[in-house]
Amino acid sequence: MEASVCAYWHHRPAHPTPLGSPQAPPVLLIASAHDPVTPIEGARALQRRLPGARLVTLHDDYSHGVFASRGNHCVDDAAAAYLVDGSVPRTDVHCTGPGLPTP
């Protein structure tokens, strides 16, 4: 599976690994619990399809795109560790957001 961002990448894997394969490296998913664009249920469903995947959930926040944009150290640190070292947390991570607006 390739995203459109990867369409111009000049290096291709020697042996593509199918999505959800036990041989695939672990995936880190990041989602806001109240994201109006991509609901958390989608992240949870995708996690069930990816062996070894971990989900970082930002609670008490309603934004879309929470990594490196909300200033949340809990989210940013987990994502940075994954991007720099390829490491995923031992369990899912639950981060506290700034709070939801009062209606």
Side-chain angles (χ1 to χ4, degrees), residues 35-91:
D35 184 341
V37 180
T38 53
I40 188 73
E41 292 79 14
R44 290 179 183 142
L46 181 58
Q47 183 185 23
R48 288 191 293 272
R49 296 191 60 184
L50 301 172
R54 297 292 181 260
L55 176 60
V56 176
T57 304
L58 180 58
H59 298 277
D60 299 322
D61 190 272
Y62 61 89
S63 62
H64 176 75
V66 297
F67 168 60
S69 65
R70 304 294 290 162
N72 187 290
H73 292 289
C74 176
V75 172
D76 294 350
D77 290 351
Y82 180 74
L83 293 172
V84 172
D85 301 323
S87 61
V88 294
R90 292 182 201 185
T91 62

